[in-house]
Amino acid sequence: MLRGLRRNLRGSTQDDRLCAFPWLRTGDFWEPAASDAELTCRIAVAGELDRLAAACRADRINLFGDLKTEIESSSGKAQTAAKKRFEAAFGMPFKSSLRPPEPTPASLGVWQGYRRSSADHADLAVHENSYFERDLLILARLDGPSLNVERTLGLTQALRAALIATHGNASLPAWLCGHDADGSATSLPHAAFLALPFAG
């Protein structure tokens, strides 16, 4: 069973060291503050994507999947060699019943304080990207089996297919299917179905 939640997508646009947070709807510009901060936000720093990938052990999970596929699709010396690489990598003999390593939820761990800037910034403009809604409609699992990453993706595909099926044989709007009438990918904004592992 799923229930719907709405969550706000908080974004900022930066100009040098100044920030504007459109979701505050105050029209103020903010500057980083080491003390006397009125607002704190988690931020991404240099190397953040690499750190997040390492934190969730994506490389270990991918290696497990690659070796498992190689072992199950080979035989003889090739299979023996793949099993040896598996044992060297994971410290245990390969068994078909083994599950891949569990990913560790990764989060942004760097916080930055901000305070309102007292300078006149009338010549600066804030651009809000209108292609993305400010709110996500999130479906949360209430009961039933837990969903790993692969199952979560399958669920989003099923939700998209269910919405498309409601149109029957009628022409599908580009905002829903993501394609124009000629079958090519649309250049216009369209609905997105996101798998959000560890979103709560």
Side-chain angles (χ1 to χ4, degrees):
M1 180 182 294
L2 300 172
R3 62 184 171 90
L5 303 174
R6 297 192 73 82
R7 292 190 181 173
N8 190 264
L9 288 177
R10 297 185 171 185
S12 65
T13 54
Q14 290 189 334
D15 181 88
D16 194 14
R17 290 178 56 82
L18 290 174
C19 296
F21 301 100
W23 46 271
L24 287 178
R25 301 187 183 279
T26 63
D28 296 314
F29 284 89
W30 301 72
E31 59 187 7
S35 61
D36 300 326
E38 301 175 65
L39 175 71
T40 56
C41 298
R42 286 189 296 181
I43 62 172
V45 295
E48 194 70 39
L49 291 179
D50 291 337
R51 187 191 69 79
L52 292 174
C56 73
R57 301 192 292 174
D59 56 341
R60 300 280 291 170
I61 296 171
N62 290 335
L63 177 60
F64 182 97
D66 292 342
L67 287 175
K68 186 175 188 293
T69 299
E70 184 177 349
I71 290 170
E72 293 178 343
S73 62
S74 62
S75 59
K77 292 183 179 179
Q79 186 182 71
T80 300
K83 286 183 176 180
K84 287 182 178 178
R85 294 202 305 276
F86 183 95
E87 186 169 357
F90 296 98
M92 64 182 73
F94 173 79
K95 294 180 181 179
S96 58
S97 60
L98 288 176
R99 295 179 58 83
E102 287 292 330
T104 303
S107 62
L108 298 177
V110 180
W111 291 81
Q112 174 67 61
Y114 295 91
R115 61 171 170 249
R116 286 181 175 84
S117 175
S118 58
D120 181 12
H121 304 294
D123 57 331
L124 297 180
V126 177
H127 172 68
E128 289 192 62
N129 192 335
S130 59
Y131 278 17
F132 295 93
E133 282 286 343
R134 294 170 56 83
D135 295 317
L136 283 177
L137 174 61
I138 298 180
L139 301 179
R141 182 179 63 85
L142 294 180
D143 56 27
S146 60
L147 302 175
N148 58 23
V149 175
E150 292 83 1
R151 290 179 178 177
T152 305
L153 179 59
L155 178 60
T156 61
Q157 292 171 339
L159 288 172
R160 179 178 182 273
L163 286 174
I164 288 177
T166 62
H167 282 262
N169 295 325
S171 177
L172 291 174
W175 67 262
L176 174 59
C177 69
H179 294 85
D180 290 326
D182 61 2
S184 61
T186 183
S187 60
L188 299 175
H190 57 87
F193 300 83
L194 309 176
L196 298 175
F198 313 114

